[in-house]
Structures are given as structure tokens and as C-alpha cells.
Amino acid sequence: MTITKDRKQAVIGDFRRKDGDTGSPEVQIALLTARINGLTEHLQSHKKDYACRRSLLMLVSRRRRLLDYLKRVSPDRYLDVIRRLDLRK
């Protein structure tokens, strides 16, 4: 369910805007997406894990708020993150 340290560093490396960047909205959205994907896989095999379902909904809500912020502040960066993470159909 959690992401490994190596996977987290890879995600940060892919989405950072400059060296040492770990807190930009792009990085936060990418890390949340990785966690959401892991929880989604877990819930497919453990359908009655309601605590996990609640945490998944909280992560999705947090990612939605960050995406809304990024869309309001910088629409170009928003579209880039959406495209790179393949969040919209």
C-alpha cells in the first residue's frame, strides 16, 4: 500500500521543477497519485477494508484540492500534470 523510498525518489525526480524541489504542487500531486494507485490495487482484492477506503477518499480529496489550486494559479502547469499522470480521459 505504501510506496517505497526508491519509487518516491523516482516520482520526485520526474516531477520536480528544480533541484531540491519536494513540495511543489506537481510533486505533491504525483506522490498522492502513486499512493492512490497502490490503495486502489489493495481495495480490489480487499473489498471490505473500509478504513482503507476512507483513507483513499481523503487522498483523492487532497489531490483534487491541489489540482484545483494549480488550475487557478497556473493552467499550463495544470494541463501538463494532468497529461503526464493521465488523470483525465
Side-chain angles (χ1 to χ4, degrees):
M1 284 192 292
T2 61
I3 59 176
T4 63
K5 185 176 183 179
D6 296 333
R7 176 69 182 133
K8 186 174 182 176
Q9 291 301 323
V11 169
I12 290 172
D14 290 342
F15 285 90
R16 68 180 176 200
R17 300 181 68 204
K18 60 182 179 177
D19 289 339
D21 177 21
T22 57
S24 67
E26 292 92 338
V27 171
Q28 291 182 50
I29 291 167
L31 289 174
L32 285 171
T33 300
R35 289 179 63 193
I36 288 168
N37 291 339
L39 285 176
T40 302
E41 291 175 15
H42 171 79
L43 278 172
Q44 288 175 350
S45 59
H46 302 91
K47 295 186 186 321
K48 294 190 178 184
D49 188 352
Y50 296 112
C52 182
R53 185 178 311 274
R54 180 177 185 271
S55 63
L56 174 66
L57 289 174
M58 288 190 305
L59 290 176
V60 170
S61 175
R62 187 182 308 166
R63 182 179 70 180
R64 179 78 257 151
R65 286 193 306 265
L66 282 168
L67 284 168
D68 289 342
Y69 165 78
L70 195 58
K71 185 176 183 180
R72 186 175 64 243
V73 171
S74 177
D76 295 333
R77 288 169 39 201
Y78 168 78
L79 292 174
D80 183 49
V81 168
I82 291 295
R83 181 186 53 78
R84 288 173 64 190
L85 290 174
D86 195 29
L87 292 179
R88 300 283 173 128
K89 294 181 181 179

